């Protein structure tokens, strides 16, 4: 969002990262349009780039496992699949969506066709999914070729694809930022990657992984990933 532009720029500077572009959205439209904008922009300067989509508010404690997972998933994505990372459940959890794994890919060990996406379940549903063993938490992380995602988006949600292309065509550079065309983006239907593409495509693939992952979506999630300090409180009782 345009209102967070200076926070993002400063944090990237602290990490010594020089981004090729920071795209500013004038209006929030969810993850499908945001991803489409990035795919369109990156495709202008690179022949069919490989795109890794990562939510900014997630925590991954095992970076080596994550890097390994990306390397494996990239090979699958290069074969024309839209790959998502499924987190192997470690507890009964009603705060995450679930992915049901389907048939394994013969050419890529450890990756499976997506059978079904499930919204956040109740406790009974979560227990049932975990007991079956072929369900993963939906991480919201993806890797794919730009052309594959854009072609599927154009087929499934043509209004989003068209609005995003027009928004990039009328974009303006403002210092380190790219301001997309607001008039065109206003007409873009809001939708998530899951709803717009993943629940309807035949190219969806999931790779179950263990990364020490949390989406930090609630206070208990923040407590779980935080360093704990043991303290003792003494109360001075009046005599």
């Amino acid at each position: 969002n345009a209102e967070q532009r200076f926070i993002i720029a400063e944090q990237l500077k602290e990490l010594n990262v020089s981004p090729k572009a920071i795209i500013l959205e004038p209006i929030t439209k969810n993850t499908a349009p945001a991803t489409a904008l990035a795919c369109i922009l990156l495709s202008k300067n690179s022949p069919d780039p490989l795109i890794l989509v990562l939510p900014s508010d997630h925590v991954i404690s095992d970076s080596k496992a994550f890097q390994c997972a990306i390397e494996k998933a990239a090979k699958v994505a290069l074969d024309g699949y839209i790959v998502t990372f499924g987190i192997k459940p470690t507890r009964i959890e009603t705060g995450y969506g679930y992915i049901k794994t389907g048939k394994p890919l013969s050419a890529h060990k450890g990756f499976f066709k997506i059978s079904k996406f499930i919204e956040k379940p109740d406790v009974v549903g979560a227990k049932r999914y975990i007991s079956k063993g072929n369900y993963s938490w939906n991480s919201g992380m993806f890797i794919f070729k730009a052309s594959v995602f854009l072609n599927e988006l154009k087929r499934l949600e043509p209004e989003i694809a068209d609005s995003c292309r027009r928004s990039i065509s009328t974009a303006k550079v403002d210092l380190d930022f790219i301001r997309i065309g607001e008039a065109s983006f206003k007409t873009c239907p809001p939708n998530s990657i899951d709803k717009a593409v993943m629940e309807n495509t035949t190219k969806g693939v999931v790779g179950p992984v263990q990364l020490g992952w949390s989406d930090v979506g609630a206070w208990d999630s923040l407590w779980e990933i935080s360093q704990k300090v043991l303290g003792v409180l003494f109360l001075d009782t009046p005599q």
Side-chain angles (χ1 to χ4, degrees):
N1 188 284
E3 294 182 3
Q4 279 83 52
R5 62 190 184 281
F6 294 121
I7 296 174
I8 296 300
E10 184 62 30
Q11 290 181 347
L12 288 171
K13 184 178 180 181
E14 290 174 0
L15 295 169
N16 294 318
V17 173
S18 299
K20 180 171 289 187
I22 301 176
I23 305 173
L24 302 182
E25 289 181 312
I27 308 165
T28 299
K29 293 289 186 175
N30 215 321
T31 54
T35 302
L37 292 172
C39 289
I40 295 166
L41 186 65
L42 289 170
S43 296
K44 287 179 175 293
N45 300 312
S46 178
D48 203 8
L50 203 60
I51 309 292
L52 177 63
V53 180
L54 304 173
S56 63
D57 56 350
H58 291 192
V59 168
I60 294 173
S61 60
D62 193 340
S63 58
K64 288 185 178 179
F66 186 41
Q67 291 167 6
C68 181
I70 292 171
E71 291 174 358
K72 292 179 179 178
K75 297 176 182 178
V76 183
L78 288 172
D79 278 350
Y81 293 105
I82 300 176
V83 185
T84 187
F85 299 89
I87 306 300
K88 294 180 180 179
T90 56
R91 62 183 183 275
I92 297 170
E93 178 60 64
T94 60
Y96 302 146
Y98 285 71
I99 300 173
K100 182 180 180 181
T101 58
K103 295 181 179 180
L105 296 185
S106 57
H108 298 283
K109 185 178 179 180
F111 291 86
F112 304 82
K113 297 289 289 183
I114 293 174
S115 177
K116 186 179 181 182
F117 279 88
I118 297 107
E119 295 294 334
K120 297 175 182 177
D122 57 18
V123 173
V124 174
K127 286 181 178 179
R128 185 170 68 252
Y129 300 148
I130 291 174
S131 66
K132 288 182 178 297
N134 61 332
Y135 288 80
S136 300
W137 289 337
N138 184 1
S139 71
M141 302 185 292
F142 304 89
I143 186 167
F144 44 72
K145 292 197 294 186
S147 65
V148 174
F149 179 81
L150 291 174
N151 287 338
E152 287 298 275
L153 186 66
K154 184 178 180 180
R155 181 176 68 86
L156 297 166
E157 292 286 346
E159 287 187 61
I160 295 179
D162 182 60
S163 295
C164 289
R165 288 195 181 279
R166 287 188 283 109
S167 299
I168 289 293
S169 68
T170 55
K172 296 180 180 179
V173 177
D174 177 11
L175 299 176
D176 295 331
F177 309 106
I178 295 178
R179 294 183 178 273
I180 62 172
E182 184 171 355
S184 297
F185 202 59
K186 279 183 177 180
T187 67
C188 183
N191 211 340
S192 66
I193 296 177
D194 287 349
K195 294 287 187 182
V197 176
M198 297 303 293
E199 292 184 5
N200 301 294
T201 184
T202 60
K203 300 179 182 295
V205 168
V206 60
V209 292
Q210 289 179 313
L211 309 171
W213 171 92
S214 174
D215 75 345
V216 201
W219 286 111
D220 57 347
S221 299
L222 183 60
W223 166 256
E224 184 179 330
I225 66 169
S226 299
Q227 182 178 1
K228 313 300 189 299
V229 178
L230 180 64
V232 180
L233 177 64
F234 292 95
L235 298 178
D236 187 11
T237 303
Q239 299 297 320

